[in-house]
Amino acid sequence: MARIFRWLVRLATGLIILGVGLIALAYYFASRSLPEYNAESTVRGISAPVEIVRDNANVPHIFGASDNDVYFALGYAHAQDRLWQMTMLRRTAQGRLSELFGERTLGIDEVLRRFDIYTLSVSSVNAQDDGTKAALNAYSAGVNAWLAEVNAGARGRGAPEMWLFNHPISPWQPADSIAIQKLMALQLSSHLESEVLRARTSLIIDNDRLRDILPDDPSDGVAALPEYAALVPGVPTYTANMRQAEDPLAPFNRPPLAGASNAWAADPTRSASGSTLLASDPHLGLTAPSIWYLARLELSTGGIIGGTIPGMPLVLAGRSDALGWGITSAYVDDQDIVLEEVNPNNPNEYRGLDGWNTFRSRDSVINVKDAPAVTLRLRWTVNGPVMPGDQFNLGTITPPGHVTAIAWSALSDRDTSMSAGMALMRARNVDDAIDAAETYIAPAQNLTLADRNRIAMKTIGALPARDPDHQSQGRFPAFGYLAQNRWQGRFPYSDNPEFTNPEGGIIGNTNNKTIDRPFPQHVSFLWGDTQRINRWRRLMQAREVHTRDSFIEAQLDTVSFTARTLSTLMGADLWFTGDAAPEGTPERQRQIALNLLSSWNGEMNEHLPEPLIYSAWARAFQERLIRDELGPLAAEFTHPNPVFIERVFRDIDGAGIWCDVIQSAPVETCTEIARQALDDAILWINENHGEAVEAVRWGDAHQATHDHPVLGQTPILEWVVNIRQSTSGGDNTLQRGRTSGTGPNPFQNVHAAGYRGVYDFADPDSSVFIISTGQSGHPLSRHYDNLGELWRRGEYIPMSLDPDLARAAAVGVTVLRPES
């Protein structure tokens, strides 16, 4: 027995040693790809030595003899810190994920191949101006210089993920950068799926109720449209979802998560400092690492600093010494679903304006890991690429004998958005910046600007010119063989909304409706925000003058105008009512919840129970309102719509009828539904967060999910690569932490301001910024998540163009020298 025990001890010891050895070996190979920032390298592609000074937050400050040398060094720095992220973005745009991940990502690749984004990007390179071409070539050379060092110096294949996935890396090309910009357009687009949902809902309920559940901005007046069933006969009332399972690698978001942002500016009359102020926080899906990367470039026109996206040589939101710019999603309706009738006698033809036209087509082969290659037949009509019915649920609204083509402004083979971005970085004042953005195509953005004396906001991007007689005004799919349903080019840039030096001295956008114009100059019927703008307006008007700190306070504000409104409406007949109830009963828990909400100010603070009670209540209330009318389609309405709920409670245009359950004999009231929904919410809280509703925390449910798109669901590794944080805010607060709305954790914070910046032009070097994780994409780097806790707490780091400040306590200086 003693001998067996000794052998067991030896075996256990051996296994422990082996395990430790394997971990040490894995750490060694993974750590080989950590870049050394204090280094000198000889590279090909620069004209003179370049310095990359990394400050103590690992923000690179790049100094070179020419602009192209600076862009070279930016590509080099991006590749040092985010090589895996860059190559994954490129693979996504190319439709080549399945080469690494097999059949899991085949559906993603099919969509990207059908949009043909990469081919369009290759064609668009020649449309750029000469300076932009040179910058793209220099940036690509910088990326490739780092790839050469990885190959020559055995630097762990460039990223630890490369050890897990056989990932040969081709040299970076200018088209790769343009493709990533087009990929961002796809991530920020929502009109396609919104059209599908509106059409599907219209097939189930009448137009009056459609205006309730999918309301327009309350201040908008829209002419009546025909019902979709009348417009497109032959479509089944309800067809089961064809949507494929969502994947973290997919670049398309559901409409509630497609885009949101904040930006605002104050002119000298509303600024305590006597010069302008600007705040910007664009919102995107949270990932680890963040999509954003901070950088400072010293160009011939002066220094610029701000947020970049690895893969592109652009500062998308930032400032120079004279100009600041911020971006918000403009919600321009730049996508249409076009129904194309297929010739029943020849499937290679579709109906045109004057007879049958032949589909333009070609084959595309997708290589799939551990599976046979898949050959796609790509087809186009004059209106755009043909998309199959199993994508975006298009098959649910396509009549027999038809296919759907997608008209989208981003599908341009002469997309000059990159040139516009490069020109914007050289602008020295508001007028220069507005002029620079004229050639910008997609994704459409509201560009908020501030120079030292003036402020402005301009919608940039192509606005499709639709026929005034368009059958659906772009809100429903429409037949492509009717001339009035086709686009007629784009409106001139001068027609894009523009606001310069407003009389009130403050300008801003929270994705709210920016302009009220009739169709077809309307810009959009779908806007991203009807709520946060109310809180922003109150904060801006509460002060006669603003400071950098008051702009920061507004950027971090977590009070929900929506929660104040809806909790009052839902609880109007429930406050302080009901008989005495013993401890532990549902009636007692309901009273506790109502007592908490009755004195709550709507602050979505992570440490409070009220935000979770309110959020669960609003979610359960909408579910009870729509489930009987919409059936399985109700699952597509993932987030409570505050305008819809308010219309129901105020019985606007008869919307109160939603409270009556149509399958039951009694006539239910909104008070009854609200009480039942509160019980539903409390039961859900009990099952998921404990039975003491007064002790739950919003932050436990509202965790920011900075998850690694590839390794984030891998056991053990997920604890290394994912970053989870308890956060305040919510769907309708200025510090917007958009919830997932689906799955077992519907209140997880999955979409937020990955970049925040506040610029003060009275003292530009007092400006500040932050990103949501860290600068490095390497999980073993101390810069992988070092900025994340500052971001969570609402803190910032200096945004200075002072070289001496960058060098103070720098984490390293890299010197690139040209080959002799």
Side-chain angles (χ1 to χ4, degrees), residues 198-243:
R198 179 173 287 274
R200 296 181 75 190
T201 309
S202 171
L203 292 168
I204 295 176
I205 59 179
D206 61 37
N207 265 356
D208 288 337
R209 302 289 68 86
L210 183 66
R211 283 194 290 268
D212 296 333
I213 187 62
L214 290 171
D216 295 304
D217 189 294
S219 63
D220 190 29
V222 182
L225 292 172
E227 295 183 356
Y228 187 62
L231 188 68
V232 183
V235 183
T237 300
Y238 175 76
T239 303
N241 277 0
M242 299 180 176
R243 182 198 304 276

Side-chain angles (χ1 to χ4, degrees), residues 302-509:
I304 58 172
I305 188 169
T308 70
I309 290 179
M312 294 192 290
L314 295 177
V315 175
L316 294 169
R319 73 168 184 89
S320 64
D321 63 330
L323 179 73
W325 59 96
I327 51 175
T328 57
S329 294
Y331 278 82
V332 168
D333 187 0
D334 56 5
Q335 290 180 318
D336 271 356
I337 301 171
V338 183
L339 301 174
E340 307 283 18
E341 183 181 357
V342 180
N343 186 347
N345 299 316
N346 185 349
N348 296 318
E349 294 181 340
Y350 67 96
R351 185 181 295 279
L353 299 181
D354 301 309
W356 299 107
N357 297 337
T358 302
F359 287 104
R360 181 167 61 89
S361 63
R362 79 165 191 267
D363 288 341
S364 181
V365 178
I366 302 177
N367 294 315
V368 184
K369 181 183 178 183
D370 300 328
V374 174
T375 300
L376 298 181
R377 170 55 59 96
L378 309 182
R379 295 190 297 173
W380 291 265
T381 72
V382 293
N383 295 302
V386 173
M387 198 65 61
D390 61 352
Q391 300 293 345
F392 303 105
N393 278 324
L394 289 167
T396 64
I397 49 84
T398 304
H402 291 70
V403 295
T404 53
I406 309 301
W408 181 24
S409 61
L411 300 179
S412 167
D413 62 356
R414 296 190 59 78
D415 188 339
T416 50
S417 300
M418 184 67 67
S419 292
M422 301 297 292
L424 176 61
M425 292 194 297
R426 298 190 297 270
R428 301 295 293 169
N429 56 54
V430 163
D431 293 332
D432 288 348
I434 292 175
D435 291 343
E438 182 168 1
T439 57
Y440 184 86
I441 304 296
Q445 301 283 298
N446 289 319
L447 181 65
T448 302
L449 299 161
D451 57 28
R452 290 184 179 271
N453 301 300
R454 305 167 67 219
I455 61 175
M457 186 173 72
K458 176 74 174 181
T459 299
I460 62 174
L463 271 63
R466 294 180 178 87
D467 191 302
D469 295 324
H470 190 290
Q471 283 185 300
S472 73
Q473 299 184 349
R475 309 199 77 182
F476 289 135
F479 292 115
Y481 55 78
L482 298 178
Q484 67 265 34
N485 293 336
R486 293 189 174 186
W487 288 2
Q488 302 169 351
R490 60 176 288 189
F491 286 112
Y493 183 62
S494 58
D495 284 4
N496 288 23
E498 179 178 329
F499 310 89
T500 304
N501 293 328
E503 186 175 341
I506 289 181
I507 203 166
N509 181 247

Side-chain angles (χ1 to χ4, degrees), residues 87-97 109 112-113 116-119 121 175-176 178-183 251:
T87 56
M88 288 301 295
L89 289 172
R90 176 172 65 177
R91 274 192 178 271
T92 303
Q94 291 173 333
R96 295 179 55 213
L97 291 173
D109 286 345
L112 271 298
R113 293 289 180 99
D116 211 21
I117 281 179
Y118 195 76
T119 303
S121 301
D176 300 339
I178 295 175
I180 290 175
Q181 189 172 38
K182 285 184 176 291
L183 190 66

Side-chain angles (χ1 to χ4, degrees), residues 3 18 26 38 46 63 88 114 200 319 346 358 378 425 436 442 461 475 516 576 595 645 683 727 733 778 794 800 813:
R3 178 179 295 179
L18 179 62
N38 271 313
I46 55 176
F63 305 92
M88 288 301 295
R114 293 189 188 280
R200 296 181 75 190
R319 73 168 184 89
N346 185 349
T358 302
L378 309 182
M425 292 194 297
R475 309 199 77 182
D516 192 7
F576 310 110
N595 285 337
I645 294 176
L683 179 61
T727 54
T733 57
H778 199 302
S800 175
V813 178

Side-chain angles (χ1 to χ4, degrees), residues 178-191:
I178 295 175
I180 290 175
Q181 189 172 38
K182 285 184 176 291
L183 190 66
M184 298 307 299
L186 181 59
Q187 290 181 319
L188 294 172
S189 299
S190 61
H191 284 80

Side-chain angles (χ1 to χ4, degrees), residues 509-730:
N509 181 247
T510 62
N511 304 122
N512 56 289
K513 183 176 65 177
T514 55
I515 198 164
D516 192 7
R517 298 191 304 206
F519 178 85
Q521 288 83 15
H522 65 309
V523 178
S524 180
F525 290 116
L526 174 70
W527 301 93
D529 174 46
T530 62
Q531 302 292 301
R532 291 181 296 127
I533 187 65
N534 295 291
R535 179 64 179 171
W536 174 77
R537 184 185 295 115
R538 179 180 178 85
L539 291 178
M540 293 298 104
Q541 297 302 97
R543 294 171 177 263
E544 183 175 348
V545 292
H546 283 272
T547 65
R548 184 199 69 169
D549 291 340
S550 72
F551 267 34
I552 290 175
E553 180 184 347
Q555 203 170 65
L556 302 176
D557 185 76
T558 60
V559 174
S560 173
F561 169 89
T562 309
R564 286 179 166 182
T565 302
L566 295 191
S567 60
T568 301
L569 289 172
M570 292 188 296
D573 297 325
L574 300 176
W575 305 126
F576 310 110
T577 61
D579 300 326
E583 190 72 32
T585 62
E587 293 78 9
R588 181 62 175 271
Q589 286 197 312
R590 187 194 311 145
Q591 290 173 1
I592 292 171
L594 287 168
N595 285 337
L596 288 169
L597 292 175
S598 68
S599 56
W600 180 49
N601 71 344
E603 183 182 1
M604 305 291 285
N605 187 295
E606 63 183 289
H607 303 294
L608 297 178
E610 291 91 343
L612 181 56
I613 298 169
Y614 153 74
S615 298
W617 189 9
R619 180 178 173 81
F621 182 75
Q622 178 166 290
E623 172 70 14
R624 280 188 172 265
L625 289 181
I626 69 176
R627 175 59 68 178
D628 57 319
E629 280 89 354
L630 300 183
L633 189 61
E636 295 295 298
F637 294 82
T638 55
H639 293 74
N641 188 314
V643 178
F644 167 57
I645 294 176
E646 186 169 354
R647 284 177 65 90
V648 169
F649 268 104
R650 301 191 189 282
D651 195 24
I652 297 173
D653 297 330
I657 196 173
W658 286 89
C659 289
D660 180 35
V661 179
I662 57 178
Q663 283 95 345
S664 68
V667 177
E668 289 80 8
T669 66
C670 291
T671 298
E672 290 177 88
I673 299 299
R675 177 183 56 76
Q676 292 168 350
L678 181 56
D679 290 344
D680 292 341
I682 292 172
L683 179 61
W684 182 88
I685 291 171
N686 291 164
E687 292 174 347
N688 292 275
H689 295 277
E691 301 205 355
V693 294
E694 68 274 21
V696 299
R697 291 177 68 257
W698 173 235
D700 292 338
H702 193 246
Q703 286 197 339
T705 57
H706 313 271
D707 290 356
H708 194 288
V710 175
L711 303 177
Q713 298 176 354
T714 305
I716 300 177
L717 286 180
E718 63 181 324
W719 298 101
V720 178
V721 299
N722 291 345
I723 305 167
R724 297 293 179 92
Q725 301 166 327
S726 168
T727 54
S728 299

